[in-house]
Amino acid sequence: MTGSPDKPFSPACERNRGPILEVLRGYLGNARRVLEVGSGTGQHAVHFAASMPWLAWQASDRVENLPGIRAWLDGAALPNTPAPLALDVDRWPALAVEPFDAVFSANTLHIMAWPQVQAFFAGIGTVLAPAGLLVVYGPFNYAGAYSSESNRAFDAWLRSRDPASGIRDFEAVDALARGMGLRLQDDVAMPANNRCLVWRQRGIATTGSSPASSSKRAP
Ligand SMILES: C[S@@+](CC[C@H](N)C(=O)[O-])C[C@H]1O[C@@H](n2cnc3c(N)ncnc32)[C@H](O)[C@@H]1O
């Protein structure tokens, strides 16, 4: 992350926001309220809210990131970006009387330690409307293997700076999602060996349910 202390800047956000928006547009046409977890700089919030004016984009992050997010939101002055919320997945606050139609999170699960990844999914169940969507963008491993050499190197770098972090196994993350009653709708290949995972809330998990549809699954 670069930029001024007032307005942080992530070059990666500028690169990935277009491809992510394409996926979001396909799923959020009827959404009214979307919660973003781990908004980071706030660049995604501004871009997605400006591009999808029919919905309210609720940014959130740990409290130390809120000033930067506010700077981006204030600079854009969009009508559909409420003030960012303090949200640490270890302590999900009571966010709203009305549940969210969708939750979005980019590049967070490989930053969080595994107990926080578990807390992320536990919290989703408390804020997502019935039939609501969860969209998660980032790198994932499949069948215990890296999907590229660049992801292997990225994982090594992540673990060198925080041994609790690291690229997550798709299957382990999907198991958490299923435990919260979410069913995989899509797994979209994104540039730079990232994925967009899309789940839909289907009620409490049961065994023996039918497999999710998935258009572009990794091997
Ligand atoms: C690599 S940044 C990604 C930021 C932004 N979503 C993006 O794609 O540029 C990881 C984000 O996860 C957030 N994060 C890490 N641990 C968290 C937690 N326990 N609860 C909520 N957010 C967390 C960080 O504050 C940070 O904003």
Side-chain angles (χ1 to χ4, degrees):
M1 208 184 284
T2 58
S4 72
D6 290 343
K7 203 169 180 190
F9 181 78
S10 160
C13 277
E14 298 299 300
R15 290 193 298 271
N16 62 32
R17 65 184 196 173
I20 297 174
L21 177 62
E22 265 185 56
V23 176
L24 293 179
R25 274 188 194 282
Y27 281 99
L28 300 183
N30 294 320
R32 289 178 307 117
R33 297 172 68 248
V34 178
L35 171 68
E36 180 181 12
V37 176
S39 297
T41 61
Q43 284 163 267
H44 278 158
V46 166
H47 187 67
F48 299 149
S51 307
M52 296 183 284
W54 60 88
L55 54 77
W57 190 273
Q58 176 64 68
S60 78
D61 208 320
R62 292 191 293 191
V63 72
E64 61 266 28
N65 284 343
L66 296 189
I69 297 169
R70 271 192 213 104
W72 275 90
L73 299 187
D74 291 351
L78 296 167
N80 57 337
T81 52
L85 294 174
L87 195 165
D88 187 312
V89 297
D90 271 334
R91 295 174 295 280
W92 282 79
L95 293 181
V97 178
E98 210 186 340
F100 289 90
D101 301 311
V103 175
F104 169 76
S105 197
N107 291 318
T108 48
L109 302 190
H110 59 271
I111 299 296
M112 296 173 187
W114 186 249
Q116 278 74 55
V117 177
Q118 293 172 308
F120 171 88
F121 280 94
I124 298 298
T126 68
V127 299
L128 200 56
L133 286 168
L134 170 63
V135 183
V136 173
Y137 168 87
F140 289 93
N141 292 337
Y142 291 81
Y146 295 107
S147 59
S148 67
E149 281 309 308
S150 62
N151 276 2
R152 181 192 297 275
F154 182 50
D155 189 51
W157 177 80
L158 286 168
R159 291 174 193 275
S160 71
R161 55 186 273 288
D162 177 1
S165 68
I167 295 180
R168 304 300 169 197
D169 288 331
F170 161 79
E171 294 82 0
V173 168
D174 187 48
L176 293 179
R178 293 176 74 85
M180 296 313 300
L182 295 159
R183 291 292 176 272
L184 191 72
Q185 293 277 288
D186 214 345
D187 177 353
V188 185
M190 305 295 284
N193 303 301
N194 287 296
R195 315 292 302 184
C196 242
L197 304 178
V198 183
W199 290 273
R200 190 178 290 281
Q201 179 75 268
R202 290 265 193 255
I204 300 304
T206 54
T207 53
S209 52
S210 59
S213 72
S214 176
S215 60
K216 300 174 198 165
R217 297 287 296 279

